[in-house]
């Protein structure tokens, strides 16, 4: 068999990294693949590598339609628009597609996988989750013989960087985010990252593969990190926890529950020490046990290396099904009802008046919730003080009822902030 002919659509951060890999004589890519065509918006832009020898397309869909291109690498981004049209065009004619586009795969992955099965063109997306960390392959291949019961990860480097930096520097969320934007670590519009949507896209993909279920982005419960304050980080630290944006999918009695939200992790939790822009995934799968994967979750080099590994799989004819098994074998698992039990962290901003603590304790007791620990910050300037507490194991619904009763108290000056407490261990339910 001759070399597979590759076209790259999108020559930005990741596409530029891939161009460099193709230009590197030490890379194995050129042994079995040949880069023949590229596409981006601006032909005159310096890509750091001479692209004069490749056919140029202004339109990525036109590149994807070329019959002599065997593999289309989509590195444009966005769940719709030219990225989607290029991927559809390639798959429809039976060409293979490699993509780093988690939004596209999370939202349209099922339809694209159907097209892939119908035409025989493979759809691979290792780079869409975890940058350089082989999370998709780990689930598709390494634990293929196991029963995965839960996946939990730190899947968004921007959020993790912000939370790590807040803890280290004592600066506010807004200040760290502004710096991250200036340094290019965070997008000008950070909503996808700090709102939890990017992590939810990735969790959708990982859960489908781990549990053998249809990708189901619509049912990820998503909460971003915008409300995490320095007070939360400091108080959690005093109680022995670190706050992380955790993306977690769990299989409970055949039902899948997926959520992305800030959570308190005990210092000995495998995800608690993942700092800065690192990504990590913990998989619970029997009989393998608990596995942890850690590495750089973004950037040109790590992400391009995952694209390259998919390309080599294609060249060596070992590329499997998009979601690890034929679509007919993926089930539409019922969604778990949020009858969640665990320990919870509550932060209340209250008027500094006698009787406040008793009033709060009373609302908790009324819902049958016992307090595990309680902290009150010394009153700073002004009449409002934070009170933080963690509960013993109780129903989430009971916490919600207590919180709404607290909001009715005139001494509670803003909506209480609730986060779950996660513990380490074989079972991934909240503590
Ligand atoms: N950056 C990361 O670390 C990372 C990590 C994991 C996954 N990903 C994913 O990888 C994909 C690419 O990300 P990136 O960071 O490399 O993006 P990027 O730097 O913004 O690059 C996007 C590329 O697509 C081209 N493009 C945009 N719109 C186009 C259009 N309408 N027609 C033709 N070309 C178009 C741009 O052309 P011009 O260069 O001419 O403007 C640019 O080359 C996204 O799906 C992203 O989520 C990125």
């Amino acid at each position: 068999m001759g070399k597979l002919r590759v076209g790259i659509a999108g020559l930005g951060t990741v596409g530029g990294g891939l161009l460099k890999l193709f230009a590197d004589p030490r890379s194995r890519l050129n042994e079995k693949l040949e880069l023949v065509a590229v596409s981006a918006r601006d032909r005159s832009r310096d890509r750091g590598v001479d692209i004069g020898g490749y056919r140029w397309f202004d339109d990525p869909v036109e590149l994807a339609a070329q019959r002599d291109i065997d593999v289309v690498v989509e590195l444009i981004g966005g769940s719709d628009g030219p990225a989607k049209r290029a991927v559809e065009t390639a798959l429809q004619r039976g060409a293979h597609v490699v993509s780093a586009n988690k939004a596209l795969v999370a939202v349209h992955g099922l339809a694209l996988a159907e097209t892939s099965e119908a035409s025989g063109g493979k759809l691979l997306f290792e780079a869409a989750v975890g940058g350089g960390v082989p999370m998709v392959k780990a689930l598709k291949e390494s634990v293929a013989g196991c029963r995965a019961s839960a996946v939990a990860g730190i899947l968004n480097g921007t959020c993790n960087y912000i939370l790590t930096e807040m803890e280290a520097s004592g600066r506010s969320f807004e200040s760290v985010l502004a710096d991250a934007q200036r340094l290019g670590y965070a997008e000008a519009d950070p909503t996808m990252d700090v709102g939890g949507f990017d992590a939810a896209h990735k969790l959708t993909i990982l859960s489908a593969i781990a549990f053998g279920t249809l990708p189901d982005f619509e049912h990820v419960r998503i909460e971003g990190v915008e409300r995490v304050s320095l007070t939360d980080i400091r108080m959690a630290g005093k109680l022995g926890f670190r706050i992380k944006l955790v993306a977690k999918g769990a299989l409970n009695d055949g039902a899948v529950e997926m959520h992305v939200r800030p959570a308190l992790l005990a210092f000995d939790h495998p995800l608690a020490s993942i700092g800065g822009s690192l990504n990590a995934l913990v998989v619970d799968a029997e009989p393998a046990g608990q596995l942890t994967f850690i590495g750089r979750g973004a950037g040109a080099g790590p992400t391009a290396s995952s694209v390259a590994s998919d390309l080599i799989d294609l060249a060596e004819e070992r590329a499997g099904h998009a979601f690890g098994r034929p679509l007919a074998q993926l089930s539409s698992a019922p969604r778990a009802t949020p009858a969640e039990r665990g320990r919870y962290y509550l932060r209340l901003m209250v008027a500094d008046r006698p009787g406040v603590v008793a009033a709060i304790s009373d609302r908790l007791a009324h819902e049958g919730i016992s307090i595990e620990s309680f902290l009150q910050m010394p009153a700073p300037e002004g009449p409002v003080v934070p009170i933080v507490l963690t509960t013993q194991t109780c129903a989430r619904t009971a916490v919600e009822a207590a919180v709404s009763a607290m909001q009715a108290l005139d001494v509670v000056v803003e909506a209480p902030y609730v986060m779950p407490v996660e513990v380490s261990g074989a079972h991934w339910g909240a503590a």
Side-chain angles (χ1 to χ4, degrees):
M1 197 178 95
K3 289 185 177 184
L4 283 182
R5 284 154 305 183
V6 177
I8 307 175
L11 303 175
T13 304
V14 185
L18 188 61
L19 281 178
K20 287 197 182 76
L21 271 183
F22 268 106
D24 183 347
R26 294 163 304 177
S27 161
R28 282 182 59 204
L29 277 179
N30 292 304
E31 287 172 20
K32 295 196 172 175
L33 300 121
E34 182 186 2
L35 179 58
V36 297
V38 294
S39 169
R41 282 178 300 206
D42 181 358
R43 187 173 190 170
S44 65
R45 199 168 131 191
D46 180 11
R47 308 286 170 182
V49 170
D50 180 12
I51 56 169
Y54 310 127
R55 272 148 60 203
W56 173 270
F57 292 87
D58 286 323
D59 180 0
V61 182
E62 200 187 328
L63 177 148
Q66 301 301 304
R67 291 179 167 276
D68 63 342
I69 293 179
D70 304 307
V71 188
V72 173
V73 183
E74 184 277 302
L75 302 172
I76 297 169
S79 62
D80 291 280
K84 177 167 178 261
R85 291 199 300 277
V87 168
E88 284 170 344
T89 302
L91 289 175
Q92 278 160 5
R93 67 177 178 82
H96 306 308
V97 168
V98 175
S99 174
N101 190 338
K102 53 263 181 172
L104 175 71
V105 177
V107 177
H108 300 295
L110 177 58
L112 295 173
E114 279 166 357
T115 309
S116 152
E117 280 196 359
S119 73
K122 299 287 184 190
L123 171 62
L124 300 180
F125 40 78
E126 179 62 64
V129 187
V133 191
M135 298 184 182
V136 169
K137 278 190 187 196
L139 293 174
K140 268 190 187 178
E141 299 171 15
S142 309
V143 297
C146 297
R147 292 178 315 281
S149 56
V151 291
I154 291 178
L155 302 179
N156 184 271
T158 304
C159 289
N160 207 44
Y161 170 81
I162 292 171
L163 294 175
T164 306
E165 204 50 31
M166 284 171 73
E167 183 183 341
S169 69
R171 286 183 302 139
S172 70
F173 173 81
E174 292 76 15
S175 156
V176 175
L177 172 60
D179 268 6
Q181 286 171 313
R182 206 159 25 79
L183 295 166
Y185 301 153
E187 303 283 336
D189 177 1
T191 317
M192 287 298 272
D193 290 322
V194 300
F197 302 101
D198 175 79
H201 286 144
K202 294 165 178 170
L203 178 65
T204 301
I205 296 170
L206 294 178
S207 293
I209 300 170
F211 308 132
T213 49
L214 296 168
D216 188 9
F217 173 66
E218 292 302 312
H219 289 93
V220 184
R221 289 188 286 148
I222 306 171
E223 215 184 294
V225 294
E226 302 95 327
R227 277 198 76 190
V228 177
S229 68
L230 262 183
T231 301
D232 296 319
I233 289 175
R234 287 190 181 132
M235 299 291 228
K238 285 186 199 295
L239 296 169
F241 299 102
R242 185 163 282 137
I243 298 173
K244 295 284 182 191
L245 184 72
V246 177
K248 177 168 141 180
L251 196 58
N252 294 318
D253 298 328
V256 174
E257 187 189 344
M258 293 181 285
H259 47 67
V260 171
R261 61 189 175 187
L264 273 70
L265 305 179
F267 286 144
D268 65 352
H269 189 290
L271 295 177
S273 58
I274 307 302
S277 62
L278 287 177
N279 276 198
L281 179 72
V282 179
V283 182
D284 277 352
E286 287 307 318
Q290 196 171 77
L291 303 165
T292 305
F293 304 85
I294 302 169
R296 288 179 56 200
T303 314
S305 82
S306 283
V307 173
S309 113
D310 279 347
L311 287 171
I312 288 171
D313 278 355
L314 285 169
E316 299 196 341
E317 296 183 47
R318 55 167 185 253
H321 303 282
F323 289 97
R325 53 192 107 181
L327 288 178
Q329 289 176 21
L330 296 180
S331 65
S332 51
R335 255 92 50 185
T337 50
E340 190 191 309
R341 286 180 66 77
R343 282 163 62 199
Y344 296 90
Y345 164 98
L346 273 72
R347 186 238 305 151
L348 299 118
M349 303 302 288
V350 299
D352 193 12
R353 292 216 295 263
V356 173
V357 173
I360 289 167
S361 308
D362 178 61
R363 298 306 179 279
L364 289 166
H366 188 260
E367 298 302 328
I369 299 170
S370 302
I371 295 174
E372 171 97 20
S373 52
F374 186 94
L375 278 179
Q376 183 167 5
M377 287 273 258
E381 67 286 354
V384 175
V385 290
I387 285 180
V388 154
L389 60 90
T390 57
T391 70
Q392 291 187 4
T393 299
C394 61
R396 173 103 194 181
T397 46
V399 172
E400 281 160 6
V403 160
S404 69
M406 287 174 199
Q407 273 179 270
L409 297 169
D410 62 355
V411 288
V412 173
V413 300
E414 67 178 55
Y417 186 39
V418 181
M419 284 185 273
V421 176
E422 302 274 358
V423 281
S424 178
H427 181 63
W428 272 98

